[in-house]
Amino acid sequence: QAELGKPQRNRYTLPGFDFSYGLYIHGTDGGVPEAISHWNTVKPRTDLVQKMPQDFITMNRSALKAGYTTAHEFNLYYKAKDKRCKDDKYSHLKRCPPKVPADFTYGITTRPSTPLFDLLQHKYKELWMEQQRALTAALQGEKKKVIILQHETRTTLLRKHPQPAKVESFWHLPRLEKVGPHLSTFPNPDVRKKAFSA
């Protein structure tokens, strides 16, 4: 048991001063003689080879051609003739090169030379100015059309000439319009007239 009020002591015995800690890697820690005398080759790992999935479409087609119809017969056929899907990663390397005519030239065609005569006459500036004039004329024509359409709408007409406000009248049943009151809380008709006139 640990002593009361003191930390627990370490009971492990450490090696001597000549002990070196760490792992010894064979082939790298031996220096130049070991590197020259040994060939460290990497062995291929079999678990990295990807197993392709089964090609059930091809197997089903060939099983039907062979005359199998039940599920049990299909399973037996899968075990007997196991066909895997083809790896499409490197299929472009297996393809033969495309057929190209004998006088075909690879590469990018050269750019046509710049017409210096058009540059000296400022032809590109004139073309750009014409395009800008045509664009502004088209925009102005569209604005005029929009303004004409706005004058013809009912909303703009009602804004200019608003209709008179309708007098709100409450709707009553026609048979109840001429019915007099059943209860009168005024002491006499004069007081009632005076109250309604106020």
Coordinates of all heavy atoms in Angstrom, one line a residue, residues 79-142:
K79 N -21.8 -20.0 -59.8 CA -20.7 -20.6 -59.2 C -19.8 -21.3 -60.3 O -18.6 -21.3 -60.1 CB -21.1 -21.6 -58.2 CG -21.7 -21.0 -56.9 CD -22.2 -22.0 -56.0 CE -22.9 -21.3 -54.8 NZ -23.6 -22.3 -53.9
A80 N -20.4 -21.9 -61.3 CA -19.6 -22.6 -62.3 C -18.9 -21.6 -63.2 O -17.7 -21.8 -63.5 CB -20.6 -23.5 -63.1
K81 N -19.6 -20.6 -63.7 CA -19.0 -19.7 -64.6 C -19.1 -18.3 -64.1 O -20.0 -17.5 -64.3 CB -19.7 -19.7 -66.0 CG -19.5 -21.1 -66.6 CD -20.1 -21.1 -68.0 CE -20.0 -22.5 -68.7 NZ -20.5 -22.5 -70.0
D82 N -18.1 -18.0 -63.2 CA -18.0 -16.7 -62.6 C -17.4 -15.6 -63.5 O -16.2 -15.7 -63.9 CB -17.2 -16.8 -61.3 CG -17.3 -15.5 -60.5 OD1 -18.2 -14.7 -60.7 OD2 -16.4 -15.3 -59.6
K83 N -18.2 -14.6 -63.9 CA -17.7 -13.6 -64.8 C -17.7 -12.3 -64.0 O -18.7 -11.9 -63.3 CB -18.6 -13.5 -66.0 CG -18.5 -14.7 -67.0 CD -19.3 -14.5 -68.2 CE -19.2 -15.7 -69.1 NZ -20.1 -15.6 -70.3
R84 N -16.6 -11.5 -64.2 CA -16.5 -10.2 -63.4 C -16.6 -9.0 -64.4 O -16.4 -9.2 -65.6 CB -15.1 -10.2 -62.8 CG -14.9 -11.3 -61.8 CD -15.6 -11.0 -60.5 NE -15.7 -12.2 -59.6 CZ -16.2 -12.1 -58.4 NH1 -16.7 -11.0 -57.9 NH2 -16.2 -13.2 -57.6
C85 N -17.0 -7.9 -63.8 CA -17.1 -6.7 -64.6 C -15.7 -6.2 -65.1 O -14.7 -6.5 -64.4 CB -17.7 -5.6 -63.8 SG -19.4 -5.9 -63.4
K86 N -15.6 -5.6 -66.2 CA -14.3 -5.1 -66.7 C -14.0 -3.8 -66.1 O -14.8 -3.0 -65.8 CB -14.4 -5.0 -68.2 CG -14.6 -6.3 -69.0 CD -14.6 -6.0 -70.5 CE -14.9 -7.4 -71.2 NZ -15.0 -7.1 -72.7
D87 N -12.7 -3.6 -65.8 CA -12.2 -2.4 -65.2 C -12.1 -1.3 -66.3 O -11.3 -1.5 -67.3 CB -10.8 -2.6 -64.6 CG -10.4 -1.5 -63.7 OD1 -11.3 -0.5 -63.6 OD2 -9.3 -1.5 -63.2
D88 N -12.9 -0.3 -66.2 CA -12.9 0.8 -67.2 C -11.9 1.9 -67.0 O -11.8 2.8 -67.7 CB -14.3 1.4 -67.2 CG -15.4 0.4 -67.7 OD1 -15.0 -0.5 -68.4 OD2 -16.6 0.6 -67.4
K89 N -11.1 1.7 -65.9 CA -10.1 2.8 -65.6 C -9.1 2.9 -66.7 O -8.7 3.9 -67.1 CB -9.4 2.5 -64.3 CG -10.3 2.8 -63.1 CD -9.5 2.6 -61.8 CE -10.4 2.9 -60.6 NZ -9.7 2.6 -59.4
Y90 N -8.6 1.7 -67.2 CA -7.5 1.7 -68.1 C -8.0 1.2 -69.5 O -7.2 0.7 -70.3 CB -6.4 0.8 -67.6 CG -5.9 1.1 -66.2 CD1 -6.3 0.4 -65.1 CD2 -5.1 2.3 -66.0 CE1 -5.9 0.7 -63.9 CE2 -4.7 2.6 -64.8 CZ -5.1 1.8 -63.7 OH -4.7 2.2 -62.4
S91 N -9.3 1.3 -69.7 CA -9.8 0.8 -71.0 C -9.3 1.8 -72.2 O -9.2 1.3 -73.3 CB -11.3 0.7 -71.0 OG -11.8 2.0 -70.7
H92 N -9.1 3.1 -71.9 CA -8.7 4.0 -72.9 C -7.2 3.6 -73.4 O -6.9 4.0 -74.5 CB -8.7 5.4 -72.4 CG -7.8 5.7 -71.3 ND1 -8.0 5.4 -70.0 CD2 -6.6 6.3 -71.3 CE1 -7.0 5.8 -69.3 NE2 -6.1 6.3 -70.0
L93 N -6.4 3.0 -72.6 CA -5.1 2.6 -73.0 C -5.1 1.4 -73.9 O -4.3 1.2 -74.7 CB -4.2 2.3 -71.8 CG -4.0 3.4 -70.8 CD1 -3.3 3.0 -69.6 CD2 -3.2 4.5 -71.5
K94 N -6.2 0.5 -73.7 CA -6.2 -0.7 -74.6 C -6.8 -0.4 -75.9 O -6.7 -1.2 -76.8 CB -7.1 -1.7 -73.8 CG -6.5 -2.2 -72.5 CD -7.4 -3.1 -71.8 CE -6.9 -3.5 -70.4 NZ -7.8 -4.3 -69.6
R95 N -7.5 0.7 -76.1 CA -8.1 1.0 -77.4 C -7.0 1.4 -78.4 O -6.0 1.9 -78.0 CB -9.1 2.2 -77.2 CG -10.4 1.8 -76.6 CD -11.4 3.0 -76.8 NE -11.9 3.3 -75.5 CZ -12.0 4.6 -75.1 NH1 -11.7 5.6 -75.8 NH2 -12.5 4.8 -73.9
C96 N -7.3 1.1 -79.6 CA -6.3 1.4 -80.7 C -6.5 2.9 -81.0 O -7.6 3.5 -80.8 CB -6.5 0.6 -81.9 SG -8.1 0.0 -82.2
P97 N -5.5 3.5 -81.5 CA -5.6 5.0 -81.8 C -6.6 5.2 -82.9 O -6.8 4.3 -83.8 CB -4.1 5.3 -82.2 CG -3.5 4.1 -82.6 CD -4.1 3.0 -81.8
P98 N -7.2 6.4 -83.0 CA -8.1 6.7 -84.0 C -7.5 6.8 -85.4 O -6.3 7.1 -85.5 CB -8.7 8.1 -83.6 CG -7.6 8.7 -82.8 CD -7.0 7.6 -82.1
K99 N -8.3 6.4 -86.4 CA -7.8 6.5 -87.8 C -7.8 7.9 -88.3 O -8.8 8.6 -88.3 CB -8.7 5.6 -88.7 CG -8.6 4.1 -88.3 CD -9.6 3.3 -89.2 CE -9.5 1.8 -88.9 NZ -10.4 1.0 -89.7
V100 N -6.6 8.3 -88.6 CA -6.3 9.7 -89.0 C -5.8 9.7 -90.4 O -5.0 8.8 -90.8 CB -5.4 10.4 -88.0 CG1 -5.1 11.8 -88.4 CG2 -5.9 10.3 -86.6
P101 N -6.2 10.6 -91.3 CA -5.6 10.6 -92.6 C -4.1 10.9 -92.6 O -3.6 11.4 -91.6 CB -6.3 11.8 -93.3 CG -7.0 12.5 -92.3 CD -7.3 11.6 -91.1
A102 N -3.4 10.5 -93.7 CA -1.9 10.6 -93.7 C -1.4 12.0 -93.7 O -0.4 12.3 -93.1 CB -1.4 9.9 -95.0
D103 N -2.2 13.0 -94.3 CA -1.7 14.3 -94.3 C -2.2 15.2 -93.2 O -2.3 16.4 -93.3 CB -2.1 15.0 -95.7 CG -3.6 14.9 -95.9 OD1 -4.3 14.1 -95.2 OD2 -4.1 15.6 -96.8
F104 N -2.7 14.5 -92.1 CA -3.3 15.3 -91.0 C -2.2 15.9 -90.1 O -1.1 15.3 -89.9 CB -4.1 14.3 -90.1 CG -4.8 15.0 -88.9 CD1 -5.9 15.7 -89.1 CD2 -4.3 14.9 -87.7 CE1 -6.6 16.3 -88.1 CE2 -4.9 15.5 -86.6 CZ -6.1 16.2 -86.8
T105 N -2.3 17.2 -89.7 CA -1.3 17.9 -88.9 C -1.9 18.1 -87.6 O -3.0 18.7 -87.4 CB -1.0 19.2 -89.6 OG1 -0.7 19.0 -91.0 CG2 0.1 19.9 -88.9
Y106 N -1.2 17.7 -86.5 CA -1.6 17.9 -85.2 C -1.2 19.3 -84.7 O -0.2 19.9 -85.2 CB -0.9 16.9 -84.2 CG -1.4 15.5 -84.4 CD1 -0.8 14.6 -85.3 CD2 -2.5 15.1 -83.8 CE1 -1.3 13.4 -85.5 CE2 -3.0 13.8 -83.9 CZ -2.4 12.9 -84.8 OH -2.9 11.7 -85.0
G107 N -1.9 19.8 -83.7 CA -1.6 21.2 -83.1 C -2.7 22.2 -83.4 O -3.8 21.8 -83.9
I108 N -2.5 23.4 -83.0 CA -3.4 24.5 -83.1 C -3.1 25.3 -84.4 O -1.9 25.6 -84.7 CB -3.4 25.4 -81.9 CG1 -3.6 24.5 -80.6 CG2 -4.4 26.5 -82.0 CD1 -3.4 25.3 -79.3
T109 N -4.1 25.7 -85.1 CA -3.9 26.5 -86.3 C -3.4 27.9 -85.9 O -3.8 28.4 -84.9 CB -5.2 26.6 -87.1 OG1 -6.2 27.1 -86.3 CG2 -5.7 25.3 -87.6
T110 N -2.6 28.4 -86.8 CA -2.1 29.8 -86.5 C -3.1 30.8 -86.7 O -4.1 30.7 -87.5 CB -0.9 30.1 -87.5 OG1 -1.4 29.9 -88.8 CG2 0.3 29.1 -87.2
R111 N -3.0 31.9 -85.9 CA -4.0 33.0 -85.9 C -3.8 33.8 -87.2 O -2.6 34.0 -87.6 CB -3.8 33.9 -84.7 CG -4.9 34.8 -84.4 CD -4.7 35.5 -83.1 NE -3.4 36.2 -83.2 CZ -3.3 37.5 -82.8 NH1 -4.3 38.2 -82.4 NH2 -2.1 38.0 -82.8
P112 N -4.8 34.2 -87.8 CA -4.6 35.1 -89.0 C -4.0 36.4 -88.7 O -4.1 36.9 -87.6 CB -6.1 35.3 -89.6 CG -7.0 35.0 -88.4 CD -6.3 34.0 -87.5
S113 N -3.2 36.9 -89.6 CA -2.5 38.1 -89.4 C -3.4 39.3 -89.3 O -4.5 39.3 -89.8 CB -1.5 38.4 -90.6 OG -2.2 38.5 -91.8
T114 N -3.0 40.3 -88.5 CA -3.8 41.4 -88.2 C -3.8 42.4 -89.4 O -2.8 42.7 -89.9 CB -3.3 42.2 -87.0 OG1 -3.1 41.3 -85.9 CG2 -4.2 43.3 -86.6
P115 N -5.0 42.8 -89.9 CA -5.0 43.7 -91.1 C -4.6 45.1 -90.7 O -5.3 45.8 -89.9 CB -6.5 43.7 -91.5 CG -7.3 43.2 -90.3 CD -6.3 42.4 -89.5
L116 N -3.4 45.5 -91.1 CA -2.8 46.8 -90.7 C -3.6 47.9 -91.4 O -3.7 49.0 -90.8 CB -1.4 46.8 -91.1 CG -0.4 45.9 -90.3 CD1 1.0 46.0 -90.9 CD2 -0.4 46.3 -88.9
F117 N -4.1 47.7 -92.6 CA -4.9 48.8 -93.3 C -6.1 49.2 -92.5 O -6.4 50.4 -92.3 CB -5.3 48.3 -94.7 CG -5.8 49.4 -95.5 CD1 -4.9 50.4 -96.0 CD2 -7.1 49.5 -95.9 CE1 -5.3 51.4 -96.8 CE2 -7.5 50.5 -96.7 CZ -6.7 51.4 -97.2
D118 N -6.8 48.2 -91.9 CA -8.0 48.5 -91.0 C -7.6 49.2 -89.8 O -8.3 50.1 -89.3 CB -8.7 47.2 -90.7 CG -9.4 46.6 -91.9 OD1 -9.5 47.3 -92.9 OD2 -9.7 45.4 -91.8
L119 N -6.4 48.9 -89.2 CA -5.9 49.6 -88.0 C -5.6 51.0 -88.3 O -5.9 51.9 -87.5 CB -4.7 48.9 -87.5 CG -4.9 47.5 -86.7 CD1 -3.6 46.9 -86.4 CD2 -5.8 47.7 -85.5
L120 N -5.0 51.3 -89.5 CA -4.6 52.6 -89.8 C -5.8 53.5 -90.1 O -5.8 54.7 -89.8 CB -3.6 52.6 -91.0 CG -2.2 52.0 -90.8 CD1 -1.5 51.9 -92.1 CD2 -1.5 52.9 -89.8
Q121 N -6.8 52.9 -90.6 CA -8.0 53.7 -90.9 C -9.0 53.8 -89.8 O -10.1 54.4 -89.9 CB -8.8 53.1 -92.1 CG -8.2 53.3 -93.5 CD -9.0 52.8 -94.6 OE1 -9.8 51.9 -94.4 NE2 -8.9 53.4 -95.7
H122 N -8.7 53.2 -88.6 CA -9.6 53.2 -87.4 C -10.9 52.6 -87.7 O -12.0 53.1 -87.3 CB -9.8 54.6 -86.9 CG -8.5 55.3 -86.5 ND1 -7.8 55.0 -85.4 CD2 -7.8 56.3 -87.1 CE1 -6.7 55.7 -85.3 NE2 -6.7 56.6 -86.4
K123 N -10.9 51.5 -88.5 CA -12.1 50.9 -88.9 C -12.8 50.2 -87.7 O -14.1 50.3 -87.6 CB -11.8 49.8 -89.9 CG -13.0 49.2 -90.6 CD -12.6 48.2 -91.7 CE -13.9 47.6 -92.3 NZ -13.6 46.6 -93.3
Y124 N -12.0 49.7 -86.7 CA -12.6 49.0 -85.6 C -13.4 50.0 -84.7 O -14.4 49.7 -84.1 CB -11.6 48.3 -84.8 CG -10.9 47.1 -85.6 CD1 -9.7 47.3 -86.1 CD2 -11.6 46.0 -85.8 CE1 -9.1 46.2 -86.8 CE2 -11.1 44.9 -86.5 CZ -9.8 45.1 -87.0 OH -9.2 44.1 -87.7
K125 N -12.8 51.2 -84.6 CA -13.5 52.3 -83.8 C -14.8 52.7 -84.5 O -15.8 52.8 -83.8 CB -12.5 53.5 -83.8 CG -13.1 54.7 -83.0 CD -12.3 55.9 -83.3 CE -13.1 57.1 -83.2 NZ -12.4 58.3 -83.6
E126 N -14.8 52.8 -85.8 CA -16.1 53.2 -86.5 C -17.1 52.1 -86.3 O -18.3 52.4 -86.1 CB -15.8 53.4 -88.0 CG -14.9 54.5 -88.2 CD -15.5 55.9 -87.8 OE1 -16.7 56.0 -87.8 OE2 -14.7 56.8 -87.5
L127 N -16.7 50.8 -86.4 CA -17.7 49.7 -86.2 C -18.2 49.7 -84.8 O -19.4 49.5 -84.5 CB -17.0 48.3 -86.4 CG -16.6 48.0 -87.9 CD1 -15.8 46.8 -88.0 CD2 -17.9 47.8 -88.7
W128 N -17.4 50.0 -83.8 CA -17.8 50.0 -82.4 C -18.8 51.2 -82.2 O -19.8 51.0 -81.5 CB -16.6 50.2 -81.5 CG -17.0 50.2 -80.0 CD1 -17.3 49.1 -79.3 CD2 -17.1 51.3 -79.2 NE1 -17.6 49.5 -78.0 CE2 -17.5 50.9 -77.9 CE3 -17.0 52.7 -79.4 CZ2 -17.7 51.7 -76.8 CZ3 -17.2 53.5 -78.3 CH2 -17.6 53.1 -77.1
M129 N -18.5 52.3 -82.8 CA -19.4 53.5 -82.7 C -20.8 53.2 -83.3 O -21.8 53.6 -82.7 CB -18.8 54.7 -83.3 CG -17.5 55.3 -82.6 SD -17.9 56.0 -81.0 CE -18.7 57.5 -81.5
E130 N -20.8 52.5 -84.4 CA -22.0 52.2 -85.1 C -22.8 51.2 -84.2 O -24.1 51.4 -84.0 CB -21.8 51.5 -86.4 CG -21.4 52.5 -87.5 CD -21.0 51.8 -88.8 OE1 -21.3 50.6 -88.9 OE2 -20.5 52.5 -89.7
Q131 N -22.2 50.3 -83.6 CA -22.9 49.3 -82.7 C -23.5 50.1 -81.5 O -24.6 49.8 -81.1 CB -21.9 48.2 -82.2 CG -21.5 47.2 -83.3 CD -20.5 46.3 -82.8 OE1 -20.0 46.4 -81.6 NE2 -20.1 45.3 -83.6
Q132 N -22.7 51.0 -80.9 CA -23.2 51.8 -79.8 C -24.4 52.7 -80.2 O -25.4 52.8 -79.4 CB -22.1 52.7 -79.2 CG -21.0 51.9 -78.6 CD -21.4 51.0 -77.5 OE1 -22.2 51.4 -76.6 NE2 -21.0 49.7 -77.5
R133 N -24.4 53.3 -81.4 CA -25.5 54.1 -81.8 C -26.7 53.2 -82.0 O -27.8 53.6 -81.6 CB -25.1 54.8 -83.1 CG -24.2 55.9 -83.0 CD -24.0 56.7 -84.2 NE -22.8 57.5 -84.2 CZ -21.7 57.1 -85.0 NH1 -21.8 56.1 -85.8 NH2 -20.6 57.9 -84.9
A134 N -26.6 52.0 -82.6 CA -27.7 51.1 -82.8 C -28.3 50.7 -81.5 O -29.5 50.6 -81.3 CB -27.3 50.0 -83.7
L135 N -27.4 50.4 -80.5 CA -27.9 50.0 -79.2 C -28.6 51.1 -78.5 O -29.7 50.8 -77.9 CB -26.6 49.5 -78.4 CG -26.9 48.9 -77.0 CD1 -27.7 47.6 -77.1 CD2 -25.7 48.7 -76.2
T136 N -28.2 52.3 -78.5 CA -28.9 53.4 -77.9 C -30.2 53.7 -78.6 O -31.2 53.9 -77.9 CB -28.0 54.7 -77.9 OG1 -27.6 54.9 -79.2 CG2 -26.8 54.5 -76.9
A137 N -30.2 53.6 -79.9 CA -31.5 53.8 -80.6 C -32.5 52.7 -80.2 O -33.7 53.0 -80.0 CB -31.2 53.8 -82.1
A138 N -32.1 51.5 -80.1 CA -33.0 50.4 -79.7 C -33.5 50.6 -78.3 O -34.7 50.4 -78.1 CB -32.2 49.0 -79.9
L139 N -32.6 51.0 -77.4 CA -33.1 51.2 -76.0 C -34.1 52.4 -75.9 O -35.1 52.3 -75.2 CB -31.9 51.6 -75.1 CG -30.9 50.4 -74.8 CD1 -29.7 50.8 -74.1 CD2 -31.7 49.3 -74.0
Q140 N -33.9 53.5 -76.7 CA -34.8 54.6 -76.7 C -36.2 54.2 -77.3 O -37.2 54.6 -76.8 CB -34.2 55.7 -77.5 CG -33.1 56.5 -76.8 CD -32.5 57.6 -77.6 OE1 -32.9 57.7 -78.8 NE2 -31.5 58.3 -77.1
G141 N -36.1 53.3 -78.4 CA -37.4 52.8 -78.9 C -38.2 52.0 -77.9 O -39.4 52.1 -77.8
E142 N -37.5 51.2 -77.2 CA -38.1 50.4 -76.2 C -38.7 51.2 -75.1 O -39.8 51.0 -74.6 CB -37.1 49.4 -75.5 CG -36.8 48.2 -76.5 CD -35.8 47.2 -75.8 OE1 -35.5 47.5 -74.7 OE2 -35.4 46.3 -76.5

